[in-house]
Amino acid sequence: MSPEKDVSRRDFLKTTGIAAGTLVGGGLIGGLVGYNMHGKGTTTLEHGQHGTATEETGSPKAKMFFMNQRDFNILANATERIFPEDDLGAGAKGLDVPYFIDQQLAGQYGSNSKEYMHGPFGEGAPTQGYQSRLTRAEIFKQGVQKLESEAQNRYKKSFNDIDGKQMDEILTAFQKGEVQMSGVTSAFFFTLLRAATIEGAYSDPIYGGNRNMDGWRMKGFPGHQMAYITQIEDPKFQKIEPNSLGSH
């Protein structure tokens, strides 16, 4: 989000150090697949035809953490500024990234249930990992509320009603740690938000994001193939249509 770095998403997709095939390792994914595939949660009729699970879309699209539509829209708009739609393809919204994050926050990722969460809680160095007494669910809930209050304070409008440039200004302030938050820095919240956005764009669609595997297509990633026996001996470049876990 830094104004000094004018990097197009085309360059980002080419040079990002996070390989599409390894995003799930040590990241958000975990503990929600069984729950999610049953479609429990608040249904979202405004989401069109994505209320049922299919091989292409993966899991049902239902809100499981954000019960307030305004807050969910704030999350969605923030992720879209981080991963916008362009000539290469869909942005965060088109890839269902907001639903991915929402569903992860409702599970073990959001509750930090598999991590040590006892004190002491000192202020960690930038190179250190998780240092907050708050769970990720609490951090995201507070972060979304702070995005809204910053928009109200700066522009007298909801975050959902300001333009993209104004959203970028607020998100940049979070990235620089300029926004006061309780129990966590705004810079750390931005780091979580950005990482979750990228993972939602590139994880297997079974987890709720990467709609129709379009994130993989932008990276040229084949997804989860049963085998490469018919291609491995061919010296020509192989362009393989991606496959989701849900199609096996």
Side-chain angles (χ1 to χ4, degrees):
M1 300 305 299
S2 174
E4 290 81 17
K5 296 182 179 180
D6 184 17
V7 181
S8 70
R9 186 151 72 100
R10 181 182 299 277
D11 294 330
F12 172 79
L13 289 169
K14 289 180 179 178
T15 61
T16 177
I18 305 177
T22 60
L23 277 169
V24 296
L28 279 70
I29 310 303
L32 249 182
V33 180
Y35 179 78
N36 188 23
M37 289 304 291
H38 292 297
K40 297 180 180 179
T42 303
T43 59
T44 52
L45 298 178
E46 73 278 6
H47 200 59
Q49 299 179 350
H50 298 276
T52 57
T54 68
E55 288 186 0
E56 284 192 316
T57 58
S59 60
K61 300 304 170 232
K63 295 196 296 296
M64 301 165 68
F65 179 76
F66 286 101
M67 297 296 103
N68 183 305
Q69 187 64 40
R70 184 205 67 178
D71 291 348
F72 181 79
N73 290 343
I74 291 172
L75 172 72
N77 286 323
T79 61
E80 184 71 14
R81 297 311 299 172
I82 293 172
F83 198 98
E85 180 180 2
D86 65 8
D87 61 310
L88 288 179
K93 290 181 181 179
L95 293 172
D96 286 338
V97 168
Y99 288 91
F100 168 84
I101 296 175
D102 174 88
Q103 292 166 15
Q104 294 299 319
L105 289 173
Q108 293 176 348
Y109 168 81
S111 63
N112 296 61
S113 61
K114 293 187 176 182
E115 298 168 63
Y116 184 83
M117 291 295 290
H118 299 285
F121 295 98
E123 184 175 350
T127 54
Q128 291 181 302
Y130 209 99
Q131 299 295 319
S132 177
R133 67 178 69 245
L134 303 178
T135 64
R136 293 186 187 89
E138 292 169 330
I139 292 174
F140 268 83
K141 185 176 181 180
Q142 182 186 171
V144 165
Q145 292 171 349
K146 285 289 185 178
L147 285 170
E148 175 68 8
S149 62
E150 279 296 304
Q152 293 287 354
N153 292 336
R154 294 175 186 232
Y155 308 112
K156 309 304 179 185
K157 293 181 180 180
S158 171
F159 188 84
N160 294 320
D161 296 329
I162 59 179
D163 61 38
K165 184 177 180 180
Q166 293 168 332
M167 289 181 183
D168 290 347
E169 180 181 314
I170 291 175
L171 288 169
T172 300
F174 273 78
Q175 182 185 26
K176 293 180 178 179
E178 296 174 350
V179 179
Q180 186 66 37
M181 293 182 65
S182 177
V184 68
T185 65
S186 63
F188 186 67
F189 165 65
F190 180 85
T191 298
L192 289 179
L193 176 62
R194 181 182 181 277
T197 298
I198 295 173
E199 293 202 34
Y202 293 134
S203 64
D204 193 286
I206 199 172
Y207 298 106
N210 190 13
R211 179 175 168 184
N212 295 331
M213 298 175 286
D214 286 340
W216 287 349
R217 289 188 176 90
M218 285 187 279
K219 294 287 287 185
F221 179 65
H224 302 281
Q225 302 290 324
M226 291 293 290
Y228 295 93
I229 191 169
T230 60
Q231 297 97 355
I232 196 168
E233 298 294 340
D234 193 332
K236 298 179 181 179
F237 175 78
Q238 300 293 313
K239 186 175 182 180
I240 303 173
E241 183 67 11
N243 230 353
S244 168
L245 286 171
S247 66
H248 294 312

